[in-house]
Amino acid sequence: MSASVIKEFQKIKHKYQLTTPADLIEQAGINILRQPLDDNTGGFTVTNNRCSTIVINSLWEEHYQNFVILHEFSHIKLHGWASTPFFRKNGAGRYIVPKIEHEANELAMRILLGMQDEDSLEGLDRNQIAYCLGLKPEFIDYVTL
């Protein structure tokens, strides 16, 4: 995990109560808009005059919507309002994950884990944690113990 992600997580943990993704976004003064999007796009952020709205694919399962919310929030915190559509498939059916996407995934997972009851995750390995969070195996790499 990069030092910038760890540093930003500490700032977030100090500034906000980590209860739920929706509550965090509300505390930060960011709007959420749930809309049906194409199958390959989980969400994106629109920012005008320092006011941000996170647009989430309402067709995706709730677990993924929550992760996308945190992913987009992470872009806002890490990348100065820059964002790319969350998870865009390339022609081979694999996901494109450039550096800023990787960093946003790392911070999003760290925040999501910070929202969990520590006792509920105790003794679980990374695969089990991803499963308990309702996330696909490709997210295992972002789970830190």
Side-chain angles (χ1 to χ4, degrees):
M1 178 153 313
S2 71
S4 61
V5 170
I6 293 169
K7 183 178 177 181
E8 192 58 45
F9 175 70
Q10 292 304 322
K11 287 184 197 176
I12 291 166
K13 193 169 135 180
H14 179 73
K15 186 173 182 176
Y16 303 104
Q17 292 181 338
L18 301 182
T19 54
T20 67
D23 185 52
L24 174 63
I25 298 309
E26 184 177 322
Q27 291 175 63
I30 299 169
N31 298 309
I32 296 176
L33 178 61
R34 297 176 196 276
Q35 292 288 313
L37 303 172
D38 66 78
D39 290 343
N40 296 324
T41 304
F44 57 91
T45 301
V46 177
T47 301
N48 288 327
N49 299 325
R50 296 189 176 254
C51 294
S52 293
T53 299
I54 296 174
V55 181
I56 300 299
N57 190 338
S58 62
L59 303 176
W60 281 25
E61 294 177 27
E62 184 179 354
H63 293 105
Y64 287 102
Q65 288 183 27
N66 285 334
F67 190 83
V68 173
I69 289 168
L70 296 176
H71 173 93
E72 294 300 328
F73 175 77
S74 296
H75 273 304
I76 292 168
K77 293 300 184 180
L78 289 169
H79 305 123
W81 314 100
S83 178
T84 59
F86 181 79
F87 276 159
R88 181 65 75 181
K89 283 186 181 178
N90 67 18
R94 292 181 298 220
Y95 292 104
I96 300 168
V97 186
K99 183 181 180 202
I100 67 169
E101 294 302 303
H102 182 71
E103 290 173 343
N105 284 342
E106 285 181 336
L107 183 54
M109 182 62 77
R110 188 165 278 256
I111 295 168
L112 184 58
L113 290 171
M115 293 177 172
Q116 306 306 307
D117 176 27
E118 290 179 25
D119 293 338
S120 68
L121 302 179
E122 189 174 329
L124 300 179
D125 65 26
R126 292 170 29 171
N127 290 312
Q128 292 168 321
I129 290 171
Y131 178 79
C132 286
L133 296 173
L135 300 174
K136 293 180 181 178
E138 58 257 25
F139 290 94
I140 292 168
D141 291 342
Y142 300 108
V143 175
T144 56
L145 299 176

